[in-house]
C-alpha cells in the first residue's frame, strides 16, 4: 500500500541529539568559583595581565554585570594589524519578508538554485519535482551550505569554480507528493534522488562583461559528488578493522559524503567538505558499539529510511549498520565509521577520487579552517563538533609547509582538543595513543584504545578521556589573515543548566549563543596553549553584549541577532556573521528572518547587512579575490512541513531582493517550490562589498 509517513519529514534540520554523557565539567571551574574570580579581576592582578588582542586576558563576569546603557564602545589599544575595516553602509532593519533585503546601493542576483543542470546531458529542472534520481545526479543539489570560490588565473574576479556543499534534503519538496512508503519500503528512485541531492556541486561560473551577471559555464569542471560517490580512505584509519565493510573488505574505500555543512580549503588549492550530522542516516538494531552509541546512531529507524529501499541493493542496504553476518566484511556494521570525516576534493581535476582524511578526526564536523600557512612550519586546521556539549579541535600536521606540499600532508599529524580554563587561558590536549598524557588519562578512566585508528574513529570518546571542555554547539570558525586570532560561533545550548555556567558560557540555557575567540601562545597556530575571550553575546537588546570584557554595550536594533552559525573574515578584515534561528526564535522573536551581519573584529562594531527569505537559514559566504562579488547561500526557504503547501516560492516568484523601505513582500505561492540557491551581492558603484 502507499502511505505518507510523517517520520520521513525533515524537522529541525537534523541537528544531533545530546550524546555526550561524560562527566567532564563544562569548564574546569564551575559556578561556585566565579565569585572568587571576579574578586581577582577587581584587584591589582588584572592590571598586570597582558591580554589577547590588546585586551585584558581575564574576562569579566558577564552574567553578573548589567548591560551598560552607553552607545559607544570602549576604545581599546591600537591594533597590531592593518585590517581595520570601515563598515560604510546603513544597517538593514529587522525584516520578515519573503525576499532578500540588502542595503541601499547594492544589488543581488540569484544563481545555481537546486535543480540547475550542470553536467551529463543537462536535464532541465522540473518545477513539479518530477525529476528522477538520475536527473538529480546531474543537477545542483539541495540545501546549499558552505562554499568556496576557486579563481582561474586568467580572470580571477570574473571566472572561477564555485564549490558548494548540500547539507540535507526536505522530501516534501524533493518529491512531487512527498516521501512514500510502499509496504514499509521506500521506492528505490526516491532514495536515489535523495542520495544524489546530498553532497557537493562543483560549478564553473563566468561573469558577463556586458551586464556583470554571473552564468554557469557548461564545461568539463562541472561535477556532482554525492552520498553515493566512491571515495578513498587515507590516514591512520585506512585498513583498520573498524572501517572494513562488504563494499571494501580491506578498509581502503567508502561510498559517499553525507550531511555536508561547513567547509574549508587548503593552501594547495583543494576543497574540504565536512560531514556533520551523519549519524542519523544509519540504524543499528543490534547492540551498538561505542563508535555508534557515542555519536547517536539510531536503534529504531534511519533518518530517511534509505536502508529500506525496494530491491535491497547494497548501495541502500548499507545504511542498516546492524550486525547480520559472521564478520564485518560481509555486512555493513562498520558503514557509519566511514562517515564523520573531512573529505578533500580537487575541484580542478574531475577525475580525482575524493579522499577521507582520517587523521583529522571523526565527529560532527561543522567545518575546517586553515591558519595562514608559514613556510617551514606545520599547517594547522581548526574544527568544531556541532552538537550540544561537544568540543573544539585542531589538527597540526607532522610535515612542514612548503610550496610543493599537497594533500598527503594531512595523513600524519596530531589532533588536539581544547580545554578552556576559567582564567582566560586554555590548552590543547593531544589525542594521540603514543602520548604519555593521553595514555595516563585513558588508564585512569579505564577506557582503552587498540591503536590510533581506534582513537580517531572514536574521537569524541578520546576527547572525553582527556577532559576536554564541553561547549555550546561549536559551529563555524574563522582565522584572521594577519593576527591569526581564531573566532568560533557557539550557536546555542538548551541543555546547559545553572550549575554549568561559567565565564565562557555565562547563560543557562544558552538560547541566543555567542562568539568566542582565542589567540595561540606566541601567535603560533601550532602552540599548545592559548588565551581566549568572548567577542559578543548574542541576543535581544536586553540580553546581549559586545566585548563583555571591556564592558561593551548591548546590541541595538541595527544588530540584534541570535544563534550565530556561519562565520568568515574577508580580505578587508570584515568578520561576516550568519545566523541559523529556528522555531519561535525565528517566527515570533524580535530578530526577524535569519540574517548576515558585518563586524569589525577590532572595534566590535556590528551592523546588519543582509536578511534572508522566509524561513531560510543564511549560510556560506565567500567572495571573489577583489571583494567585489559576495556569494551568500540561502538554505531551505519556506515552510516545508507538508507537500505542495509551501508558504514561499522564493526565488521563483521573481522577488529576489529588496532594499529597506521597499514594499514588504508577502509570500504568495503560485505552486512553485521554494529552492535553496546562491545570491551574488555587488555594489552598484562597483566597489568592495561592505566597505
Amino acid at each position: 500500500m502507499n502511505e505518507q509517513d510523517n517520520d520521513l519529514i525533515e524537522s529541525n534540520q537534523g541537528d544531533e541529539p545530546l550524546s555526550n554523557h561524560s562527566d567532564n565539567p563544562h569548564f574546569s571551574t564551575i559556578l561556585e568559583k566565579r565569585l572568587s574570580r571576579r574578586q581577582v579581576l577587581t584587584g591589582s592582578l588584572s592590571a598586570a595581565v597582558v591580554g589577547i588582542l590588546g585586551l585584558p586576558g581575564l574576562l569579566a563576569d558577564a552574567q553578573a554585570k548589567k548591560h551598560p546603557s552607553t552607545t559607544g564602545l570602549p576604545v581599546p589599544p591600537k591594533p597590531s594589524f592593518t585590517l581595520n575595516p570601515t563598515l560604510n553602509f546603513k544597517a538593514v532593519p529587522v525584516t520578515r519578508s519573503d525576499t532578500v533585503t540588502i542595503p541601499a546601493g547594492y544589488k543581488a542576483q540569484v544563481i545555481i538554485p537546486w535543480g540547475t543542470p550542470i553536467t551529463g546531458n543537462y536535464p532541465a529542472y522540473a518545477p513539479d519535482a518530477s525529476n528522477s534520481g538520475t536527473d538529480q545526479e546531474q543537477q545542483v543539489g539541495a540545501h546549499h551550505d558552505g562554499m568556496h570560490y576557486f579563481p582561474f588565473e586568467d580572470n580571477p574576479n570574473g571566472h572561477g569554480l564555485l564549490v558548494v556543499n548540500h547539507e540535507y534534503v526536505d522530501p516534501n519538496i524533493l518529491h512531487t507528493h512527498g516521501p512514500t512508503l510502499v509496504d514499509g519500503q521506500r521506492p528505490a528512485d526516491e532514495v536515489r534522488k535523495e542520495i544524489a541531492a546530498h553532497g557537493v556541486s562543483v560549478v564553473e561560473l563566468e561573469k558577463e562583461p556586458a551586464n556583470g551577471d554571473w552564468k554557469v559555464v557548461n564545461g568539463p569542471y562541472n561535477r556532482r559528488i554525492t552520498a553515493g560517490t566512491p571515495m578513498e580512505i587515507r590516514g591512520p584509519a585506512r585498513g583498520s578493522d573498524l572501517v572494513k565493510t562488504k563494499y571494501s573488505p580491506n578498509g581502503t574505500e567508502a561510498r559517499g559524503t553525507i550531511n555536508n555543512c561547513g567547509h574549508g580549503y587548503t593552501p594547495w588549492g583543494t576543497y574540504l567538505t565536512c560531514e556533520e550530522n551523519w549519524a542519523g542516516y544509519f540504524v543499528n538494531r543490534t547492540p551498538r558499539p561505542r563508535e555508534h552509541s557515542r555519536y547517536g546512531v539510531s536503534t529504531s529507524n534511519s533518518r530517511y529510511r534509505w536502508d529500506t529501499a525496494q530491491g535491497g541493493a547494497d548501495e541502500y542496504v548499507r545504511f542498516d549498520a546492524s550486525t547480520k553476518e559472521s564478520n564485518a566484511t560481509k555486512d555493513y556494521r562498520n558503514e557509519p565509521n566511514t562517515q564523520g570525516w573531512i573529505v578533500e576534493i580537487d575541484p580542478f581535476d574531475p577525475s580525482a577520487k575524493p579522499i577521507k582524511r582520517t587523521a583529522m578526526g571523526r565527529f560532527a564536523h561543522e567545518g575546517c579552517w586553515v591558519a595562514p600557512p608559514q613556510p617551514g612550519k606545520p599547517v594547522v586546521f581548526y574544527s568544531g563538533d556541532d552538537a550540544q556539549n561537544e568540543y573544539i579541535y585542531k589538527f597540526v600536521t607532522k610535515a612542514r609547509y612548503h610550496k610543493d606540499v599537497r594533500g598527503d600532508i594531512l595523513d600524519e599529524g596530531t589532533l588536539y582538543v581544547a580545554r578552556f580554563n576559567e582564567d582566560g587561558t586554555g590548552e590543547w590536549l593531544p589525542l594521540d595513543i603514543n602520548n604519555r598524557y593521553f595514555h595516563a588519562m585513558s588508564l585512569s578512566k579505564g577506557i582503552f584504545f587498540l591503536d590510533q585508528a581506534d582513537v580517531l574513529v572514536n574521537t569524541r570518546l578520546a576527547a572525553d578521556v582527556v577532559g576536554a571542555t564541553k561547549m555550546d554547539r561549536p559551529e563555524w570558525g574563522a582565522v584572521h589573515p594577519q593576527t591569526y586570532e581564531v573566532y568560533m560561533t557557539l550557536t546555542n545550548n538548551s541543555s546547559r543548566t545553572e550549575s554549568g555556567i561559567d565565564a565562557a558560557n555565562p547563560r543557562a540555557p544558552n538560547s541566543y549563543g555567542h562568539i568566542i575567540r582565542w589567540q595561540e601562545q606566541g601567535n603560533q597556530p601550532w602552540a599548545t596553549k592559548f588565551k581566549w575571550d568572548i567577542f559578543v553575546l548574542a541576543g535581544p537588546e536586553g540580553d546581549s553584549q559586545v566585548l563583555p570584557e571591556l564592558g561593551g554595550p548591548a546590541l541595538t536594533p541595527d544588530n540584534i541577532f541570535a544563534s550565530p552559525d556561519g562565520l568568515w573574515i574577508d580580505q578587508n578584515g570584515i568578520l561576516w556573521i550568519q545566523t541559523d534561528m529556528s522555531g519561535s526564535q525565528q517566527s515570533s522573536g524580535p530578530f526577524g528572518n535569519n540574517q548576515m551581519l558585518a563586524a569589525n573584529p577590532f572595534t566590535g562594531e556590528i551592523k546588519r547587512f543582509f536578511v534572508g527569505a522566509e524561513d531560510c537559514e543564511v549560510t556560506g559566504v565567500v567572495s571573489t579575490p577583489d571583494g567585489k562579488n559576495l556569494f551568500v547561500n540561502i538554505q531551505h526557504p519556506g515552510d516545508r512541513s507538508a507537500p505542495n503547501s509551501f508558504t514561499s516560492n522564493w526565488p521563483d516568484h521573481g522577488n529576489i531582493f529588496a532594499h529597506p523601505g521597499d514594499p514588504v513582500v508577502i509570500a504568495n505561492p503560485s505552486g512553485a517550490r521554494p529552492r535553496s540557491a546562491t545570491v551574488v551581492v555587488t555594489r552598484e558603484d562597483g566597489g568592495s562589498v561592505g566597505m
Side-chain angles (χ1 to χ4, degrees), residues 462-481:
D464 295 341
V465 163
V466 298
T469 298
K470 295 179 178 179
M471 305 297 285
D472 287 355
R473 286 190 61 197
E475 296 219 39
W476 288 56
V479 185
H480 196 283

Side-chain angles (χ1 to χ4, degrees), residues 538-565:
E541 294 177 72
D543 189 6
S544 60
Q545 192 170 23
V546 182
L547 296 173
E549 182 183 359
L550 289 177
L555 296 176
T556 72
D558 284 346
N559 57 21
I560 56 170
F561 69 95
S563 298
D565 190 338

Side-chain angles (χ1 to χ4, degrees), residues 414-417 428-433 435 437-438 462 466 528:
T414 302
L415 182 66
Y416 294 90
V417 66
W428 292 103
L429 310 173
L431 305 182
D432 181 354
I433 199 168
N435 179 275
Y437 174 80
F438 181 83
V466 298
T528 57

